[in-house]
Structure formats: structure tokens, C-alpha cells
Amino acid sequence: KRIARASMTGHGTNIIQGVAVGMESTAVPVLMVVVSVFTCYTLGKTAGLPGDPHNAGLFGTAVGTMGMLSAAVFVLSMNNYGPIADNAGGIVEMANLPESVRDITDKLDAVGNVTKAITKGYSIGSASLACFLLFGAFMDEFSEFAHTKFRTVDIAVPEILLAGLIGVMIIFLFSGMAISAVGNAAEQVVAEVRRQFREHPAIMDGVERPDYGTCIRIVTRAALREMVRPGLLVVIVPIAIGLTGRVIGSFSDRPLLGAEMLAGYLMFSTVTGILMALFMDNVGGAWDNAKKLVETGLHGGKGSEAHKAAVTGDTVGDPFKDTAGPSLHVVIKLLSTTVLVMGPLFLNRTV
């Protein structure tokens, strides 16, 4: 409602209010993740299990993660509802069905945006718990390779802090590349659509069918080609950081420096990725629902200035909630996995 109301005063205020809503929306999910991780870890640590209390805490967190994943089938059904309702609206529009039918599918689509946001929050929550476990596995793995305990990371060490800053930068750079990929593909589609309208004006009258296949080919090729660089980025950078730490550590007699730099990189990038994903997922859905709220007749309804501003917000939000946000869910887990697989490369020597 705040975004829809802001649309009355223009496109800029719609974007400003949407960004504010997205940023505010990260507070409750983060607090829930904090409470969940702390509770699971504490219950496991105090459960009286034999062995290291820290490992018992990790076991408690693993049980909590499995508990979340046990509801995955319901979450998947909720997630699938959104695209189905959205596609139903597109089919209604292409089939030239009555406006009353489109009004019904719009309401279903608005509900779908909410269910998608909920399921993305679930994904982030489970990813947060999983990353905590993966970080514990990361430290255990390097302790095993180095034959010494590796339990703490001092971010006051310049190399570790700088690696952490690179981790934060990677999340922003990856998000920018993903959003830019959508923009590049959109430019090609717009150019193709304009060409078809120009060369085949009968399309506008419904007499001639558009060439859908060309647009589909443009989008499919762009989706595959444009995501090569972001994918390589999140795989190559942690390897480069680990090898750099290994080289520096060999000259300064710090055999674990590569592992410590990667630990800083993982901590900073994971926390930033969780917040960025929450922001993008939520703000995209909020902009979409604000547009649908205006289309119900609020603030002038369809065709009004408020509706035009709301459409702008929805257009900006689509690459946020459908591309960059969901991609970050994968990145968060990929960061830890890459380091775990390549672990032995980053130790200078055993101690």
C-alpha cells in the first residue's frame, strides 16, 4: 500500500518507497534466522551428547536444518503456485478472454507473489543454517589437513579483513551482473518486437500472428550466455584468494593464512548474500503487488499516472525477484562448497 500510494507522485517516489520497503523487510527474517541458529546450536550443545560440545552444537543445528527441509514438499508446492498463476494470466491475455477473467487471474497472481516471497524466505533460512554447518565443516577440514586446531579467525589481521571485503564486493558484483544480463536481454527483445511491429503492422490489429520463436530464442541464448561470467566469478575468486593466502603465508611463516583468508571471505560474503537475497526477493514482490493493487482501481486504476509509475516499479523489480535474488541462494551455498572441495590447495604445509 505504501508503494501504491507513492506511485501517485511519480515514478521516482515509487522506486524510493519500494527500496525502503525492501530494506525494512530484511529485519524480521534475519532476526528469525538468528534465533533459529542460536536455539538449535544451544540445544545441541547442552543436550549432554558425548564428545566436543561444539560438535554437539553443530549436530543440533543439523537436526534443525533437517527439520526445515522435511517441509520442503509443501514449500515447493507453494513456490510452484506463483508461476502457474502468472502464466495463467498470460494465457488469458493472449487468448483475448473477457477482462473479468483477467481480473481473477490478477488476484491469483498477487497471492502467488506472496507465496513465492515466503518460499524464498524459507530457502534463505535453510541456506543460513546449512552455511553455518558448512562453515563448521570448513574449519574441521582444515584442522584435519593441518593437524592443528583451527577454531578462530582474527579479522583484525589485514589480509583476512581484505579477503572479507572482497567477499562483500563479490555479492554486489554478481548481483549487478545478473541484473545487467536481464537488461541486455530485454533490450534485444524490445528491438525485435519493434522490428516486427514496424515490418508487420497487422500484428497490432490482431490479423497477423507475431513471430514468438525469435523472442524465445533471444531470451534463451541470453540466459545461457550472460550467466557465464557471474558463474565463473563465484568459483574463481575464492580459489584465487586461497592461493594468494598460501603464497603470502609461505613467506611470513603462517601456514594457515590461506584458510584464514577464506574463512573471512566466507563469513562476509555469506552474511551479505543473505541480506541481499532477502532484499531483492521481497522488494520485487512488493513492487509487483503494488502494481496489481493500483490495477484494482486504487489511486486511479489502469491507465492512470499512478499505474504508469507502478508499472515502472514492477519492471525494475522483476530482475530482482526472478533473477538476482534466487541466484544468490545458489551462490551462498556454492561459496562454501567450492572451498571445501578445493581445501588442500590452500594450505602451505602441514604443521
Side-chain angles (χ1 to χ4, degrees), residues 268-310:
F268 281 68
S269 59
T270 300
V271 170
T272 307
I274 290 170
L275 289 169
M276 181 69 81
L278 284 171
F279 165 73
M280 290 187 171
D281 290 340
N282 293 338
V283 72
W287 267 320
D288 195 350
N289 279 359
K291 183 198 71 171
K292 287 181 171 55
L293 187 61
V294 173
E295 288 176 347
T296 62
L298 193 68
H299 305 314
K302 289 185 178 180
S304 64
E305 291 301 317
H307 182 243
K308 294 176 183 177

Side-chain angles (χ1 to χ4, degrees), residues 8 14 18 55 57 60 95 97 145 150 161 164 190 205 241 271 278 312 317-318 321 330 334-335 349:
M8 297 177 64
N14 171 282
N55 290 335
L97 294 180
F145 286 138
F150 179 37
L161 179 61
V190 169
D205 301 325
I241 288 176
V271 170
L278 284 171
T312 299
D318 278 343
K321 68 181 175 67
V330 180
L334 183 62
L335 293 172
R349 60 177 175 84

Side-chain angles (χ1 to χ4, degrees), residues 132-154:
F132 180 68
L133 295 173
L134 287 172
F135 191 75
F138 161 78
M139 302 193 84
D140 288 341
E141 180 185 42
F142 279 92
S143 297
E144 185 71 21
F145 286 138
H147 304 295
T148 185
K149 279 193 174 183
F150 179 37
R151 283 281 181 264
T152 59
V153 179
D154 186 1

Side-chain angles (χ1 to χ4, degrees), residues 133-199:
L133 295 173
L134 287 172
F135 191 75
F138 161 78
M139 302 193 84
D140 288 341
E141 180 185 42
F142 279 92
S143 297
E144 185 71 21
F145 286 138
H147 304 295
T148 185
K149 279 193 174 183
F150 179 37
R151 283 281 181 264
T152 59
V153 179
D154 186 1
I155 62 172
V157 176
E159 293 91 346
I160 298 174
L161 179 61
L162 295 176
L165 290 175
I166 293 174
V168 175
M169 177 270 292
I170 287 298
I171 298 299
F172 282 86
L173 182 58
F174 176 89
S175 301
M177 286 181 173
I179 294 171
S180 177
V182 176
N184 293 337
E187 289 175 6
Q188 296 177 48
V189 171
V190 169
E192 173 60 22
V193 170
R194 287 175 176 171
R195 182 194 67 80
Q196 292 191 30
F197 284 159
R198 184 173 60 253
E199 297 179 3

Side-chain angles (χ1 to χ4, degrees), residues 185-343:
E187 289 175 6
Q188 296 177 48
V189 171
V190 169
E192 173 60 22
V193 170
R194 287 175 176 171
R195 182 194 67 80
Q196 292 191 30
F197 284 159
R198 184 173 60 253
E199 297 179 3
H200 307 279
I203 293 176
M204 296 296 290
D205 301 325
V207 177
E208 185 177 354
R209 288 176 60 85
D211 180 10
Y212 299 110
T214 302
C215 290
I216 293 172
R217 281 194 296 273
I218 291 172
V219 174
T220 304
R221 288 172 180 169
L224 296 173
R225 184 178 60 252
E226 294 283 350
M227 292 307 292
V228 171
R229 288 192 307 135
L232 291 175
L233 179 74
V234 296
V235 173
I236 292 174
V237 170
I239 296 175
I241 288 176
L243 293 176
T244 301
R246 176 179 176 174
V247 172
I248 296 174
S250 66
F251 288 104
S252 56
D253 196 26
R254 289 180 290 174
L256 282 175
L257 182 61
E260 292 170 344
M261 288 177 65
L262 282 172
Y265 173 85
L266 287 177
M267 285 190 292
F268 281 68
S269 59
T270 300
V271 170
T272 307
I274 290 170
L275 289 169
M276 181 69 81
L278 284 171
F279 165 73
M280 290 187 171
D281 290 340
N282 293 338
V283 72
W287 267 320
D288 195 350
N289 279 359
K291 183 198 71 171
K292 287 181 171 55
L293 187 61
V294 173
E295 288 176 347
T296 62
L298 193 68
H299 305 314
K302 289 185 178 180
S304 64
E305 291 301 317
H307 182 243
K308 294 176 183 177
V311 169
T312 299
D314 181 34
T315 304
V316 174
D318 278 343
F320 280 42
K321 68 181 175 67
D322 294 330
T323 303
S327 296
L328 286 174
H329 300 180
V330 180
V331 170
I332 291 169
K333 298 170 185 173
L334 183 62
L335 293 172
S336 299
T337 306
T338 302
V339 173
L340 283 172
V341 171
M342 307 296 289

